[in-house]
Amino acid sequence: MKPIDFRSDTVTKPTPAMRRAMAEAEVGDDVYGEDPTVNRLEQRVAELLGLEAALFVPSGTQANQIAMGLHCRQGDEVITEAGSHILQYEGGAVSALWGIQPQPLPGDRGLLTPEQVTAAARGENVHAPRSRLLSLENTHNKGGGTVWPLERFRTVVEAGRKAGLAVHLDGARLFNAQVATGTPASSWAKLTDTTSVSFSKGLGAPVGSALAGSAVLMREARRLRKRLGGGMRQAGILAAAALHALEHHLDRLAEDHANTRRLAAGLAELSGVKVNASPVETNILLVEFTRPAGEMVSRLASLGVLLNATGAHTARLVCHLDVSAADINEALSRIRRALES
């Protein structure tokens, strides 16, 4: 029985063409700035995001945390949505690494309003931390792959700017937003001080993310990357996979979105599971089971369908490069069996 893995879009395997690109990559020592493939990747990312420069890093968490270190000092505050990746999935790094205090705000499927940002930003007060950074996420993971409407994003960023905040965008799945809307990733990124993107999620590369911003900020980001142990040597082998993904796997993200919609439509016809009422915008689907989610995850795993529980009765399913339209049909059949047994 072939496993059908919906746990995350990070579980993909490199394609044969990607492996060839990796094997043939021209390399050098990137800590010295001498890896030509890494240099090409960083230049390409900066172009795609409409920013001056970019830095290749091992993971999305490191990209986000370098941004935290760039914009804040000990005792400063980052304002972000309560379900954001930097708060929920990065091991408490904002406080452990940088001594930053987070101020989480409740969002609507991960999205904030300008009024929330304005109210949250603190004026100068000896009793309070300094509000330094507004961190946003597009698409929003815990929101169910929510895309920030560009004009709403712009107004929220403007509210942050008026309050004196720097702006970081966790754009791990920003290219999903681009493909879903037809809006270039640069339209969001150019409004920020720093933006991160991931190559190891929907784009299907085995490793890597990038942080982009001004040339001045990226020079300091390189220092922080070294401090965090992210200085890689002949990293062109990994950068080649990311370049291949940007060239060959970006537009095909639309297939993942279509498969997610097909999965949602199929699940909506089954009893014992409720599809999140929010529209399916990209490749993440949130569902609620009548039975405990842990029980359903185990039951489905025995049938070769893998997914992650997110609460007592809720779960997340993510479509990706290694899940085909045929896999969606087979998964629905197996899920029906699990619900009826």
Side-chain angles (χ1 to χ4, degrees):
M1 182 184 296
K2 174 190 173 182
I4 304 172
D5 197 341
F6 293 111
R7 290 174 298 170
S8 177
D9 45 7
T10 62
V11 301
T12 58
K13 305 296 193 299
T15 64
M18 183 179 284
R19 289 179 184 271
R20 286 194 298 273
M22 296 171 71
E24 296 168 2
E26 184 182 5
V27 300
D29 191 319
D30 180 49
V31 174
Y32 289 115
E34 296 174 355
D35 191 300
T37 308
V38 171
N39 293 342
R40 283 198 300 274
L41 173 63
E42 292 175 343
Q43 180 179 0
R44 181 62 179 143
V45 170
E47 291 171 352
L48 286 171
L49 298 184
L51 297 169
E52 279 189 333
L55 181 70
F56 184 46
V57 298
S59 71
T61 293
Q62 187 169 109
N64 287 336
Q65 289 307 314
I66 289 173
M68 299 298 109
L70 286 174
H71 298 303
C72 298
R73 296 295 177 264
Q74 284 188 331
D76 287 348
E77 179 178 71
V78 56
I79 296 169
T80 191
E81 199 275 332
S84 65
H85 195 279
I86 65 165
L87 295 190
Q88 299 293 333
Y89 300 114
E90 298 187 8
V94 291
S95 55
L97 296 177
W98 312 112
I100 300 169
Q101 174 171 301
Q103 185 181 165
L105 305 180
D108 174 17
R109 296 184 302 123
L111 307 185
L112 302 176
T113 66
E115 293 77 14
Q116 284 180 291
V117 173
T118 299
R122 304 174 194 265
E124 189 64 29
N125 184 335
V126 70
H127 301 287
R130 292 185 174 96
S131 298
R132 291 292 196 197
L133 177 64
L134 173 64
S135 182
L136 306 171
E137 186 175 328
N138 190 22
T139 68
H140 198 286
N141 180 4
K142 281 183 74 69
T146 313
V147 177
W148 270 90
L150 181 59
E151 286 310 308
R152 180 168 177 175
F153 186 83
R154 189 190 309 277
T155 60
V156 168
V157 169
E158 287 174 352
R161 298 290 191 203
K162 288 179 181 177
L165 305 177
V167 179
H168 171 64
L169 173 59
D170 175 357
R173 295 183 176 89
L174 184 58
F175 293 118
N176 287 89
Q178 171 177 296
V179 169
T181 63
T183 302
S186 60
S187 297
W188 289 282
K190 286 192 294 187
L191 299 175
T192 74
D193 296 287
T194 52
T195 292
S196 65
V197 293
S198 174
F199 310 116
S200 62
K201 293 186 170 67
L203 292 179
V207 174
S209 288
L211 181 69
S214 69
V216 171
L217 280 174
M218 290 305 100
R219 282 196 293 272
E220 183 61 19
R222 186 172 292 272
R223 177 186 295 275
L224 295 184
R225 183 186 70 173
K226 181 67 174 176
R227 181 181 298 170
L228 295 175
M232 300 178 286
R233 299 298 177 172
Q234 287 71 39
I237 294 171
L238 301 176
L243 279 167
H244 180 87
L246 289 173
E247 183 174 350
H248 298 284
H249 295 174
L250 204 159
D251 290 340
R252 66 143 306 279
L253 291 172
E255 298 174 27
D256 299 340
H257 301 169
N259 283 337
T260 308
R261 290 191 294 270
R262 291 184 60 196
L263 180 63
L267 289 175
E269 296 177 356
L270 304 179
S271 62
V273 60
K274 178 182 177 182
V275 175
N276 188 297
S278 301
V280 177
E281 297 186 58
T282 52
N283 67 324
I284 298 175
L285 178 63
L286 304 179
V287 300
E288 182 177 353
F289 293 109
T290 303
R291 296 173 180 169
E295 175 188 334
M296 288 304 303
V297 167
S298 297
R299 188 184 295 264
L300 286 167
S302 70
L303 296 174
V305 177
L306 307 180
L307 61 154
N308 283 333
T310 57
H313 288 272
T314 57
R316 185 189 78 159
L317 298 89
V318 185
C319 291
H320 50 76
L321 178 67
D322 291 347
V323 172
S324 67
D327 290 332
I328 298 297
N329 295 335
E330 177 61 24
L332 287 168
S333 176
R334 296 181 195 179
I335 294 169
R336 182 181 294 106
R337 286 162 52 192
L339 290 168
E340 292 174 350
S341 62

